[in-house]
Amino acid sequence: MSLRSAWEDSAEQWIHWSRSETLDHAFWMLNLPAMLELLPEPSGKALDLGCGEGRVSRELKKLGYQVIGVEGSETLAQAARQADPDFEVHVSDAGSLPFEDGTFDLAVASLMLMNVDDLSGILTEVARVLTPGGVIVASVLHPLNSLGDAGPNVGYFNEVRYSEMLQEGEAWLTLHETHRPLSAYTEALAERGFVIERLVEPRPTYEHLSAHPEAARWLQRPAFLHFRAHRHAG
């Protein structure tokens, strides 16, 4: 089963989990603030790549970005439309984007690049639909984190697909992801003309730790990695 199909199967679980600021406190209190700090000023069109049920797009729209979403799961895309009827979201494979060259000034990929089968093909498409000088801002599971989740016998430099289940009370979610080394991301970006401007390993704040003491483990070992890169104009 492709990762796209696997996420369609988990779509209803994801909608419930991702919209809860308690269940998914890692996103709402750690990932989202870190991503917003990396964004350029609103200008032109922004692409939310793998937009899911639309939570990042809704936050971007509040800040003044003109956002269009792409999502591989019909169920998640429909949930995004229901949450915001004015949101334009296309059901499409991220490796074959339904847009002309140079359509966007910004691409955002929130926790999705580790959920795809063809990282290189997707970044090729992102480079194509961005303007020269356009920016990509993305977050992924930190390779040190995914290495542990992928299994005890997985080498750091291996690329390994795996699934894991999260459970909190009666709520549960199956995640479908891929462990890749950091160099897999940086090399794929460089080969497509991207220049990395920042790499960020976000750490929980005092407020996050007060509300969710279990987040303290992310002070010792990073859970997520964020980056900002621009497409070289030359």
Side-chain angles (χ1 to χ4, degrees):
M1 182 185 295
S2 69
L3 280 166
R4 180 178 174 182
S5 297
W7 275 100
E8 171 63 20
D9 286 350
S10 295
E12 294 294 345
Q13 302 168 31
W14 175 251
I15 292 166
H16 175 68
W17 190 280
S18 67
R19 290 180 175 177
S20 168
E21 295 189 15
T22 299
L23 292 173
D24 203 2
H25 60 86
F27 171 78
W28 292 104
M29 302 190 76
L30 184 63
N31 272 307
L32 181 61
M35 172 165 275
L36 296 182
E37 287 187 3
L38 292 177
L39 293 175
E41 291 296 319
S43 176
K45 292 181 179 179
L47 172 65
D48 187 357
L49 193 67
C51 66
E53 55 70 57
R55 60 183 182 177
V56 172
S57 292
R58 292 190 292 275
E59 296 297 320
L60 293 177
K61 288 180 71 174
K62 290 177 187 177
L63 296 172
Y65 293 87
Q66 183 183 350
V67 189
I68 297 173
V70 166
E71 172 53 48
S73 162
E74 178 63 55
T75 301
L76 292 177
Q78 185 59 30
R81 296 187 191 104
Q82 290 171 348
D84 179 3
D86 294 327
F87 179 41
E88 179 183 341
V89 55
H90 299 255
V91 178
S92 172
D93 191 308
S96 182
L97 294 172
F99 308 111
E100 295 182 358
D101 297 0
T103 299
F104 299 95
D105 293 289
L106 170 67
V108 174
S110 174
L111 297 173
M112 69 81 64
L113 292 177
M114 73 279 186
N115 298 333
V116 299
D117 294 301
D118 183 11
L119 175 65
S120 295
I122 288 170
L123 289 178
T124 296
E125 277 292 271
V126 172
R128 180 184 67 78
V129 301
L130 279 178
T131 58
V135 171
I136 179 172
V137 174
S139 59
V140 296
L141 282 178
H142 199 289
L144 288 179
N145 188 0
S146 60
L147 177 64
D149 293 338
N153 299 317
V154 174
Y156 174 78
F157 291 104
N158 296 130
E159 185 169 311
V160 178
R161 176 178 162 179
Y162 65 96
S163 297
E164 62 172 327
M165 191 177 83
L166 306 180
Q167 186 164 6
E168 187 69 34
E170 295 184 359
W172 60 280
L173 169 66
T174 301
L175 298 172
H176 308 281
E177 296 161 339
T178 303
H179 164 73
R180 295 183 176 96
L182 175 59
S183 57
Y185 296 103
T186 58
E187 290 301 310
L189 287 164
E191 289 170 3
R192 282 145 191 88
F194 285 102
V195 178
I196 297 173
E197 298 173 347
R198 289 188 64 190
L199 288 174
V200 177
E201 297 165 312
R203 289 179 288 179
T205 62
Y206 175 79
E207 290 76 17
H208 191 178
L209 295 170
S210 296
H212 300 279
E214 67 273 22
R217 66 188 186 275
W218 297 329
L219 292 172
Q220 303 301 319
R221 184 166 117 171
F224 305 99
L225 178 70
H226 291 240
F227 65 81
R228 169 176 163 155
H230 70 268
R231 182 186 168 208
H232 196 274

